[in-house]
Amino acid sequence: MTTPSLQSWRTEAACRGAATSLFFPDPGDDVSVREAKTICAACRVVVECRAHALLSPRERGIWGGLTDQDRQRAREQRRKGEAA
C-alpha cells in the first residue's frame, strides 16, 4: 500500500462524509469526541492529518485523532524537546 501524496490525503480520510458535528463537538460532548477519535483511529491517513493539524493554527475540532487540548500538549512537548 502506498502513502497518499500531500495533495490527496484529505480525499483518503476516513472522516470524509461523516457528520462534521462529530469533529467539532460542543464542550463536554464526550460521546462525539469518542466517536470522532474512533473514526480517526481507523483512518489510513491519520498521520498526515495529525501532522497538518500540529503545523496549522487550528484551535478547535478533532484533527488526526487529537482534540484541541491534545494538540496543545503535543505542541508544548515538541517545544520542550526542541529547547533541550
Side-chain angles (χ1 to χ4, degrees):
M1 186 176 300
T2 61
T3 302
S5 71
L6 290 175
Q7 293 80 18
S8 71
W9 71 264
R10 290 180 184 200
T11 63
E12 302 295 324
C15 61
R16 192 173 164 102
T20 304
S21 59
L22 283 176
F23 297 91
F24 294 93
D26 292 326
D29 185 356
D30 295 337
V31 172
S32 288
V33 170
R34 280 193 302 275
E35 287 181 37
K37 285 187 169 196
T38 298
I39 292 169
C40 292
C43 184
R44 60 179 265 166
V45 295
V46 69
V47 172
E48 291 86 351
C49 183
R50 184 172 292 165
H52 174 75
L54 290 172
L55 293 174
S56 69
R58 299 195 191 287
E59 295 180 9
R60 189 166 182 282
I62 298 169
W63 296 85
L66 301 176
T67 63
D68 332 358
Q69 296 85 8
D70 296 335
R71 287 191 304 280
Q72 183 62 33
R73 279 191 296 272
R75 288 180 185 122
E76 288 173 11
Q77 290 174 346
R78 182 183 292 166
R79 280 192 290 274
K80 288 177 184 177
E82 290 173 358

